[in-house]
Amino acid sequence: MRVLLTGAAGFIGSHIHAALRARGHDVVAVDLMLPAAHGPGAQPPAGVRRVDVRDAAGLDLLLPGVDVVCHQAAVVGAGVDAQDAPAYAGHNDYGTAVLLAAMDRAGCGRLVLASSMVVYGEGLYRGPDGIVEVAGRRSDDLAAGRFEHRRHGVALTWAPVPEDTPARPRSLYAASKVAQEHYATAWAAATGGTVTALRYHNAYGPGMPRDTPYSGVAAIFRSALAAGRAPQVFEDGRQMRDFVHVTDIAAANVAAVEAALPGVEPLNICSGQPITIGDVARTLAAAHGGPEPVVTGAVRSGDVRHIVADPARARQVLGFTARIDPAAGLAEFASAPLRPAAAGVTVG
């Protein structure tokens, strides 16, 4: 198939590019090469063209003959500063809208969209009477070291999040990913197109950007260890997450490109093997040879307590099961190469 791959030079996009080519697909690979993601003066790697997805005329030249668009281009990160909002809205949401309109003009009716676990916000929790919805944690609880969500004074436990969980974004980045999904869903309704929205959980692996305020926590820990510093673990380190290797994410994208699922299908892309943030830091430190992590008890604004995926739907409809165990993958990541990244929001 002929595939237009946006964000092809980014961390995840570059792995997808290689995986699609290995399967024999004809890949039209594009990336804007923003300095914040690739460094000042960075040039596109071999086989990648410099294209801005907000450039409608440029897309009109590329899309004829394309069977499916694999849309990875996005400003990524937690949205740690309110001043980042225009970048998220401009690149992620407006860029996606321009791309969808161009797909309609070209008669291309299939989209594989990079989405994220962050659309779920606080995730799901279970109390004595079953699943309960939670809001943000109380500042006085956090200050006192009471990190778990509580209901009537009783700590709640996490529950795996299925794809039909309502979107409740808690960051600028999350709001932009929800908007991307909504634009894509509306486009599918208007055109009869199909959308497979892959909600990545915590990605890691070789080529991940180095330590910036917008890096994933695995890269932040890895960068600290490379500099001889102890990884700093927020709260009590017992926050539960799902870490999925970038090669598994690439495999999921290839599967989505080849499966041609009908309608609009959001899917969790995860390892299915939850792990605490503290164990991530300890695994990386042990494999790197120290120093040992420090659990700080500090709280980072906007962080959620637990977010763990339910992998069943992706296995059922896409035939996707992650192959890399997080413990083994993280130990290997302890010595994997990282890419430099300028401070600021990055496009991946």
Side-chain angles (χ1 to χ4, degrees):
M1 277 185 285
R2 189 168 177 83
V3 183
L4 174 61
L5 173 63
T6 71
F11 165 49
I12 292 174
S14 60
H15 286 270
I16 296 172
H17 189 193
L20 286 169
R21 293 187 63 188
R23 290 284 295 176
H25 294 289
D26 178 14
V27 183
V28 181
V30 302
D31 198 293
L32 182 54
M33 302 302 297
L34 282 181
H38 303 282
Q43 297 301 310
V48 178
R49 311 180 202 186
R50 188 190 299 269
V51 173
D52 188 337
V53 295
R54 299 169 298 178
D55 176 9
L59 292 174
D60 286 342
L61 296 175
L62 297 175
L63 275 163
V66 166
D67 300 296
V68 54
V69 173
C70 188
H71 184 32
Q72 307 296 314
V75 171
V76 302
V80 298
D81 191 317
Q83 297 306 307
D84 296 334
Y88 286 115
H91 287 280
N92 297 6
D93 304 335
Y94 178 67
T96 298
V98 173
L99 175 62
L100 292 170
M103 290 174 65
D104 179 46
R105 290 192 297 275
C108 178
R110 290 189 54 214
L111 176 69
V112 175
L113 174 66
S115 189
S116 172
M117 67 173 190
V118 296
V119 302
Y120 299 124
E122 292 287 347
L124 285 184
Y125 294 82
R126 182 177 288 110
D129 299 320
I131 297 296
V132 296
E133 291 188 4
V134 298
R137 293 174 289 172
R138 293 167 35 135
S139 58
D140 56 341
D141 280 338
L142 295 175
R146 295 187 293 268
F147 301 120
E148 299 293 350
H149 285 282
R150 295 176 177 272
R151 183 63 57 91
H152 306 304
V154 178
L156 305 176
T157 58
W158 62 267
V161 180
E163 288 83 353
D164 60 358
T165 302
R168 291 179 292 172
R170 285 184 48 80
S171 71
L172 296 170
Y173 174 60
S176 75
K177 299 311 284 187
V178 172
Q180 281 186 300
E181 287 199 22
H182 285 173
Y183 273 111
T185 299
W187 166 85
T191 65
T194 66
V195 180
T196 304
L198 303 180
R199 293 173 176 168
Y200 307 153
H201 286 250
N202 291 75
Y204 72 97
M208 198 172 187
R210 290 186 184 276
D211 184 7
T212 80
Y214 303 87
S215 297
V217 67
I220 292 173
F221 291 161
R222 167 76 175 76
S223 297
L225 289 164
R229 303 191 308 270
Q232 303 291 299
V233 180
F234 289 124
E235 301 185 17
D236 58 3
R238 296 176 184 170
Q239 309 94 306
M240 193 68 73
R241 297 291 190 273
D242 189 300
F243 280 75
V244 57
H245 198 274
V246 67
T247 57
D248 281 324
I249 291 177
N253 276 272
V254 172
V257 164
E258 295 177 347
L261 298 178
V264 177
E265 189 74 68
L267 297 171
N268 287 325
I269 302 303
C270 58
S271 72
Q273 300 182 60
I275 186 172
T276 68
I277 296 297
D279 281 342
V280 170
R282 285 185 284 271
T283 298
L284 289 169
H288 193 272
E292 287 292 312
V294 174
V295 178
T296 67
V299 176
R300 186 170 62 171
S301 176
D303 275 359
V304 301
R305 179 58 177 173
H306 306 294
I307 179 72
V308 175
D310 184 340
R313 184 68 181 165
R315 183 170 58 245
Q316 175 187 353
V317 304
L318 200 58
F320 168 76
T321 301
R323 299 181 61 184
I324 298 180
D325 176 271
L330 287 164
E332 179 182 300
F333 180 60
S335 58
L338 300 178
R339 68 167 64 189
V345 291
T346 63
V347 174

